[in-house]
Amino acid sequence: MAGWSPFTKVIDDKEIKRLSEESKISIPEIKGVIKEMSDTGGGGQELDFTYDDVKNAVMEKFDGPDSE
């Protein structure tokens, strides 16, 4: 299991659902943000994002200066 760490926490569907309920952003939109994060990562850790990583990215995307 090269690259695996016991300290790595990968967001799961239950946490995505919780984030969707908390942020009032749909699950497909959140999964789209995760996909964008994985596309820019490119280091083989495509889905290695914590709940906080994804929450911050979602808030930045949907609550950023360009949204109203």
Side-chain angles (χ1 to χ4, degrees):
M1 290 170 104
W4 183 84
S5 165
F7 301 106
T8 299
K9 177 70 176 100
V10 179
I11 192 167
D12 60 22
D13 287 338
K14 189 166 88 171
E15 290 174 317
I16 291 171
K17 183 174 188 267
R18 184 177 95 194
L19 178 58
S20 175
E21 291 168 355
E22 289 177 1
S23 65
K24 307 290 189 245
I25 295 169
S26 73
I27 290 172
E29 287 177 311
I30 292 171
K31 288 186 175 185
V33 170
I34 294 170
K35 179 163 179 13
E36 288 173 21
M37 292 167 67
S38 69
D39 289 346
T40 59
Q45 303 294 319
E46 284 78 13
L47 298 175
D48 190 8
F49 302 112
T50 66
Y51 176 83
D52 288 331
D53 291 337
V54 176
K55 181 177 180 178
N56 291 339
V58 166
M59 293 302 138
E60 185 176 303
K61 180 175 177 93
F62 293 101
D63 291 339
D66 59 349
S67 62
E68 297 183 34

